[in-house]
Amino acid sequence: MNTQIKLKDITTPEQLRERIGKDGLGFPKLSLGIYWKRFKGLMTTNRTSEAQVETRVEFCCFDGTKSVRRFV
């Protein structure tokens, strides 16, 4: 049985952190698709705890795909 949490069910930064993958160079990357507005509040621009990982976040918006760096 697949118990992977879907993006729409994520409510905490810890759950979002579990979704972080790697890009082609091995750096942390998180792809949010169209869910950027929903998860923006779970991320910070500065590290606020040791558990946070700096990651490149990709998301879709009306003028294409964007990428920002955030701590998750």
Side-chain angles (χ1 to χ4, degrees):
M1 186 170 163
N2 188 358
T3 58
Q4 186 176 17
I5 296 174
K6 292 181 169 55
L7 274 178
K8 64 184 178 71
D9 298 326
I10 291 176
T11 57
T12 66
E14 290 78 18
Q15 290 173 324
L16 195 57
R17 206 173 293 136
E18 290 170 11
R19 295 289 302 241
I20 295 174
K22 301 280 185 193
D23 64 10
L25 298 174
F27 293 110
K29 177 184 169 189
L30 183 60
S31 190
L32 294 180
I34 60 171
Y35 296 101
W36 168 245
K37 285 184 178 159
R38 176 155 182 214
F39 294 117
K40 201 157 56 165
L42 299 178
M43 296 177 270
T44 60
T45 53
N46 298 309
R47 188 187 294 272
T48 58
S49 77
E50 286 299 313
Q52 286 186 312
V53 178
E54 185 177 2
T55 185
R56 187 165 58 89
V57 183
E58 282 190 350
F59 60 96
C60 300
C61 61
F62 65 91
D63 58 349
T65 301
K66 301 267 186 176
S67 180
V68 295
R69 296 190 77 78
R70 286 287 186 274
F71 287 94
V72 180

